[in-house]
Amino acid sequence: MDGCFCSQGSFAVFLSVAHPQDPHHPSEKPVIHCHKCGEPCKGEVLRVQTKHFHIKCFTCKVCGCDLAQGGFFIKNGEYLCTLDYQRMYGTRCHGCGEFVEGEVVTALGKTYHPNCFACTICK
Ligand SMILES: [Zn+2]
Ligand SMILES: [Zn+2]
Ligand SMILES: [Zn+2]
């Protein structure tokens, strides 16, 4: 389950980091630093692939929304919410102009919803 980042988006793993700088075990674990702000992570953190974030730091690069709540996409090392990802990189149906997700039909280099892929003459 960890490590499954399919093309339909990614989900963060919630972790609890207890006492990362425990003085009794000074070298037991490296301190986890937030990938966004660089501060050490304590308490609730998010892990995304190999990177860790404070929950409050894990936000959409574009609109700043909270990515911990839903699916997100990673593109060129940037974290985007589903809406912004679709807006910037999404594929639009050649039939209706809406974004295509999941099942698609591709014909002659154009992408369609299965429902939109109908004969333009007789439909
Ligand atoms: Zn942070
Ligand atoms: Zn966004
Ligand atoms: Zn369509």
Side-chain angles (χ1 to χ4, degrees):
M1 24 184 255
D2 285 5
C4 173
F5 293 93
C6 65
S7 61
Q8 293 305 304
S10 306
F11 287 89
V13 181
F14 282 86
L15 296 177
S16 198
V17 177
H19 310 298
Q21 291 167 308
D22 189 333
H24 299 292
H25 304 279
S27 60
E28 192 179 295
K29 278 187 198 161
V31 177
I32 295 169
H33 290 276
C34 173
H35 185 67
K36 174 90 175 279
C37 70
E39 297 291 317
C41 288
K42 282 184 220 173
E44 289 283 294
V45 302
L46 287 167
R47 193 185 74 215
V48 179
Q49 295 172 336
T50 58
K51 298 180 174 64
H52 293 81
F53 297 84
H54 296 112
I55 290 173
K56 66 175 168 52
C57 290
F58 192 57
T59 53
C60 172
K61 167 88 179 173
V62 175
C63 69
C65 73
D66 182 359
L67 294 182
Q69 297 305 315
F72 59 91
F73 287 82
I74 303 170
K75 183 81 178 177
N76 302 327
E78 293 179 340
Y79 297 81
L80 301 168
C81 68
T82 306
L83 282 180
D84 283 318
Y85 181 87
Q86 286 191 331
R87 209 159 47 76
M88 294 165 76
Y89 304 109
T91 306
R92 282 180 187 272
C93 171
H94 195 71
C96 68
E98 295 295 314
F99 288 109
V100 183
E101 264 191 285
E103 241 187 283
V104 302
V105 177
T106 310
L108 302 174
K110 298 184 173 72
T111 307
Y112 300 84
H113 295 111
N115 286 341
C116 297
F117 189 61
C119 172
T120 51
I121 295 169
C122 69
K123 77 175 175 184

